[in-house]
Amino acid sequence: MKNLITTIVILLNTLAVYSQEQTYNVNFFKNVEFPNVITIEYENLKLNGHGMHTEGISKLFVCGLYVYERTDDPIKIIYDDHMKMIEMVITSNQFQSDKSIKEIKKVHEKNLDHIKSGQLDDMVDNIKKYEGIIPQNLISTDKSFRTYFKQANKGKILENEEQIQLFLATFDEVIKIGDHIRITFLENKILVSRNGEHKSEIEGKEFQKIVLNTFIGNHAFNQTLKGDLLKSNL
């Protein structure tokens, strides 16, 4: 009976993760305003800190770290059994999956053919569809996150390939500025959604640690972002 009750509670929390999603607006300066508290079911998760990740001149995404109790101690957050979340908001449409990059480059080649043939209406439709994405300056989500995971976990990710693929699939469809990725750490799994739509349920405490290490571990891929996420004095 106790196991049944526990299962029901977990299921309700899982549904709540998606039913109470935020929406975010990206302003002219690529900044995003995160709420100080997000309530899921009966649990108040507090904004511990937020920051931006930039590569070259591209501001790729901003993210906020939500925890049960604010702290500047990354070890406490990583090993705490309470629910926690990373809210990621895309701030550049140049950040695309390998699948989308192939698609965008293929359409770009078609646009060149449309220019030569004078089919400008088709070219304009393609430009509108991909919101002015420049094919020469695309950054791969697949390669980036694999690099982030590997760097932050000293390369110890080979046994987690299936889980990594599930995570990367979140970015398969063409990314738009303002797209919101929610990574929720719940019990012994991660729930990943995009714009309020469930994308994957990834089992395993070990993968939870891999993701958290990536953002706030000793070898976090972006030390400035790590510091911003651990400010805890909002």
Side-chain angles (χ1 to χ4, degrees):
M1 185 67 177
K2 183 178 179 181
N3 289 338
L4 176 60
I5 293 173
T6 301
T7 300
I8 292 172
V9 170
I10 292 172
L11 178 59
L12 289 173
N13 281 337
T14 299
L15 294 173
V17 166
Y18 302 123
S19 65
Q20 299 180 35
E21 290 243 4
Q22 305 292 130
T23 57
Y24 296 94
N25 295 316
V26 179
N27 69 19
F28 178 80
F29 300 102
K30 306 297 184 182
N31 294 322
V32 171
E33 184 175 344
F34 290 93
N36 285 327
V37 177
I38 292 179
T39 302
I40 295 180
E41 218 25 40
Y42 299 106
E43 186 138 22
N44 292 325
L45 297 180
K46 305 173 186 70
L47 181 61
N48 198 73
H50 59 87
M52 175 173 287
H53 175 57
T54 301
E55 290 189 19
I57 61 172
S58 297
K59 298 179 178 179
L60 298 186
F61 58 82
V62 294
C63 55
L65 173 63
Y66 285 84
V67 296
Y68 177 76
E69 184 178 357
R70 291 188 179 112
T71 177
D72 60 1
D73 182 356
I75 299 301
K76 184 175 180 180
I77 295 173
I78 292 171
Y79 289 94
D80 184 11
D81 287 332
H82 281 101
M83 182 192 303
K84 54 189 84 67
M85 291 193 313
I86 294 175
E87 297 274 76
M88 180 186 300
V89 182
I90 303 298
T91 54
S92 172
N93 58 10
Q94 296 300 119
F95 198 39
Q96 300 287 345
S97 69
D98 286 347
K99 176 183 175 183
S100 293
I101 287 174
K102 289 179 182 178
E103 182 182 333
I104 291 165
K105 287 185 175 180
K106 185 176 180 180
V107 169
H108 179 67
E109 290 173 1
K110 287 183 179 179
N111 281 345
L112 294 178
D113 292 336
H114 290 327
I115 292 173
K116 294 176 183 178
S117 63
Q119 295 175 305
L120 299 184
D121 287 343
D122 291 336
M123 183 192 73
V124 171
D125 288 342
N126 286 336
I127 291 173
K128 287 180 179 179
K129 179 180 178 181
Y130 293 104
E131 297 189 350
I133 298 173
I134 303 170
Q136 289 80 8
N137 299 321
L138 293 169
I139 297 172
S140 166
T141 57
D142 301 69
K143 293 176 183 176
S144 293
F145 278 106
R146 284 185 183 279
T147 299
Y148 304 157
F149 290 150
K150 186 175 181 179
Q151 174 186 324
N153 294 278
K154 296 184 177 180
K156 297 177 182 178
I157 59 172
L158 293 178
E159 296 181 0
N160 302 96
E161 179 59 28
E162 183 177 347
Q163 294 160 309
I164 290 172
Q165 287 184 9
L166 281 173
F167 180 86
L168 294 177
T170 305
F171 303 91
D172 272 354
E173 297 175 6
V174 174
I175 291 171
K176 297 180 180 179
I177 293 174
D179 278 358
H180 163 224
I181 314 299
R182 172 172 286 186
I183 308 166
T184 305
F185 303 83
L186 183 69
E187 294 295 321
N188 65 339
K189 61 187 174 184
I190 291 177
L191 303 178
V192 186
S193 63
R194 177 171 167 179
N195 299 331
E197 179 184 352
H198 171 69
K199 288 298 180 181
S200 59
E201 183 174 316
I202 309 174
E203 299 287 344
K205 279 282 189 183
E206 189 60 33
F207 190 65
Q208 285 194 5
K209 291 177 185 176
I210 285 175
V211 177
L212 288 168
N213 279 337
T214 299
F215 286 91
I216 59 172
N218 288 336
H219 304 282
F221 77 100
N222 183 325
Q223 291 293 320
T224 300
L225 175 59
K226 171 186 172 179
D228 289 337
L229 295 176
L230 295 172
K231 281 183 176 177
S232 74
N233 58 354
L234 297 170

